[in-house]
Amino acid sequence: MDENKTSNNEEKKIIFSGVQPSGNLTLGNYLGAIKNWVELQKDYSCIYAMMDLHTITVRQTPADVRRRTFEVLALYLASGIDPKESVLFIQSQNPNHAELGWVLDCYTYMGELQRMTQFKDKSAKHAENINAGLFTYPVLMAADILLYQADYVPVGKDQMQHIEICRDIAQRFNALYGDVFTIPEGLLSKTGAKIMSLQEPQSKMSKSDPNPKAYISMMDDMNVIAKKIKGAVTDSEGVIEYREGDPAKAGVNNLLNIMSAVTGKNVNDIAADYSGKGYGDFKSDVADAVVECIRPIREEYDRIIKDKEYLMQICRDGAEKARYLSSRTMRKVYKKVGFVQL
Ligand code: ATP
Ligand code: LTN
């Protein structure tokens, strides 16, 4: 057994993660994040949230945020996250996130936040709305994690810079006030791979991509999924080979990574199976494998999403647990900084 894990419930290490209800969840979100979370439930105490406070850093349609919050929850459940084992809640339903976020804002430097890649990317994308929330996004994310004294945070590669700044903030606070926060570590999914856009395989598959052909939504019909994979951009070389870091092979590498993530096979073994074969055969098999991976999740999702009362009850129970679990950290922080305790 891994030394970080124990069979004793009391001593289980804590995991925290979440997804923003800001768009249709993609195959990238599933393979890069949620799939991994399901397996972690066995060995860790897991807390998974719908990060709605973060979504309003970009302008949203309110009804969409509401609907998508339930969609994200239903997808967690359909993927195999068990509400009896893990805490599932809506971030805005626990006020401690915003409160600790404010405190930590006062322990974070402008210069640190200015270096964040996501801030630079998103402010370029939303030049008309570069708001203070977008700038302090990583501080709220640090609060999310530190409130629960999380040991590990399973995220995709793109979020590692945010985990680093969270550790820096926590270490700074601890240096001033003693051991208040557990210093968390990022946990990359086993496949590790970033799933790339099907149309521009140099950039990541993103749910906010304006071109729907670029991503596979977990909500897409099965025939649409197959069509998108068959239309994925590759190259004119016609050789199925995994060449990491070679921009000319970005499309094929991505399809191999996807195939590997859904089948559990190694990328080079998959490539070997297709030596001498064309892209047509390969894409058709990748499409079948992805459809087989998504189909059962979708069937379960379609059933769960209809049961609003069940979803609401999970949110109520989860919010209560989340408030309770985080209240200890919050009290400690307020005491340390000198706020009067009544
Ligand atoms: P947006 O495109 O709107 O910025 P997103 O698709 O990156 O959003 P998030 O809610 O920010 O989605 O991310 C949820 C989780 O999914 C994170 O852990 C992130 O690392 C992971 N993730 C997102 N896209 C990918 C991808 N293409 N490949 C692997 N993991 C991904
Ligand atoms: N920024 C994250 C979403 C997120 C998150 C968190 C992930 C907000 N708070 C805390 C892990 C832990 C993203 O995936 N884009």
Side-chain angles (χ1 to χ4, degrees):
M1 193 162 38
D2 186 316
E3 58 175 333
N4 297 321
K5 305 170 189 172
T6 72
S7 52
N8 183 339
N9 226 6
E10 305 276 313
E11 291 168 38
K12 272 188 181 173
K13 297 264 183 188
I14 300 169
I15 293 246
F16 183 94
S17 198
V19 169
Q20 304 181 69
S22 56
N24 281 329
L25 288 190
T26 68
L27 184 67
N29 295 129
Y30 176 69
L31 297 177
I34 302 172
K35 183 169 185 264
N36 195 29
W37 300 358
V38 176
E39 287 154 33
L40 294 167
Q41 293 183 111
K42 289 197 287 290
D43 302 305
Y44 299 92
S45 259
C46 298
I47 307 167
Y48 299 126
M50 287 73 84
M51 314 314 290
D52 56 351
L53 295 175
H54 280 104
T55 63
I56 61 165
T57 54
V58 171
R59 213 55 85 221
Q60 305 284 345
T61 306
D64 287 349
V65 176
R66 230 177 330 263
R67 178 174 49 79
R68 285 179 174 143
T69 301
F70 288 110
E71 287 178 359
V72 172
L73 173 61
L75 199 65
Y76 286 175
L77 298 168
S79 304
I81 292 171
D82 180 353
K84 290 193 207 75
E85 263 185 75
S86 303
V87 178
L88 297 172
F89 75 102
I90 304 172
Q91 185 190 26
S92 63
Q93 288 297 322
N94 180 2
N96 291 332
H97 291 253
E99 290 192 25
L100 183 61
W102 167 252
V103 174
L104 297 181
D105 274 341
C106 303
Y107 295 82
T108 307
Y109 299 114
M110 303 284 285
E112 289 179 296
L113 294 173
Q114 257 146 4
R115 286 196 291 274
M116 294 289 112
T117 319
Q118 183 178 292
F119 173 69
K120 289 191 236 168
D121 288 352
K122 293 221 166 162
S123 40
K125 232 185 195 167
H126 305 276
E128 74 304 336
N129 179 23
I130 305 177
N131 61 69
L134 192 63
F135 190 62
T136 59
Y137 180 116
V139 189
L140 179 60
M141 178 160 163
D144 299 335
I145 298 165
L146 300 176
L147 268 178
Y148 301 92
Q149 307 289 346
D151 297 282
Y152 299 104
V153 187
V155 283
K157 257 189 199 149
D158 58 303
Q159 292 299 314
M160 277 302 175
Q161 201 184 24
H162 288 160
I163 306 297
E164 277 311 310
I165 196 174
C166 170
R167 290 165 57 89
D168 291 343
I169 298 169
Q171 272 155 353
R172 184 172 305 141
F173 200 91
N174 283 356
L176 288 165
Y177 303 107
D179 269 346
V180 177
F181 298 124
T182 301
I183 309 299
E185 276 175 47
L187 205 63
L188 282 180
S189 76
K190 269 192 219 123
T191 54
K194 193 154 139 189
I195 307 299
M196 308 308 272
S197 156
L198 297 177
Q199 292 301 313
E200 288 167 51
Q202 281 83 9
S203 47
K204 86 164 187 179
M205 182 182 284
S206 163
K207 55 175 134 81
S208 44
D209 198 308
N211 180 1
K213 285 189 188 153
Y215 60 83
I216 291 173
S217 160
M218 296 299 284
M219 304 299 142
D220 279 341
D221 281 341
M222 300 303 136
N223 57 343
V224 173
I225 295 176
K227 227 187 244 164
K228 285 184 180 176
I229 292 181
K230 286 176 189 162
V233 168
T234 45
D235 54 68
S236 53
E237 196 186 3
V239 179
I240 298 157
E241 199 174 59
Y242 192 74
R243 293 211 300 265
E244 199 173 349
D246 181 349
K249 268 316 198 203
V252 170
N253 287 347
N254 188 35
L255 291 176
L256 283 166
N257 274 326
I258 292 175
M259 188 74 160
S260 164
V262 297
T263 60
K265 278 198 202 161
N266 172 287
V267 278
N268 294 314
D269 294 345
I270 300 168
D273 289 345
Y274 290 92
S275 80
K277 290 192 185 155
Y279 289 163
D281 289 341
F282 175 53
K283 283 181 176 176
S284 165
D285 289 351
V286 176
D288 288 347
V290 170
V291 164
E292 282 328 301
C293 163
I294 296 184
R295 192 198 305 277
I297 301 172
R298 259 309 284 283
E299 284 170 3
E300 190 59 8
Y301 171 90
D302 289 339
R303 195 181 63 76
I304 297 172
I305 196 72
K306 291 192 198 111
D307 196 347
K308 277 281 140 55
E309 191 36 48
Y310 173 62
L311 295 173
M312 282 297 267
Q313 197 50 47
I314 290 174
C315 293
R316 285 190 208 105
D317 293 347
E320 197 179 318
K321 286 186 209 151
R323 287 183 209 124
Y324 171 75
L325 290 172
S326 57
S327 60
R328 223 174 129 234
T329 305
M330 208 60 231
R331 270 200 306 278
K332 209 164 166 185
V333 167
Y334 274 10
K335 193 169 162 200
K336 293 284 187 186
V337 298
F339 296 165
V340 172
Q341 315 272 297
L342 296 178

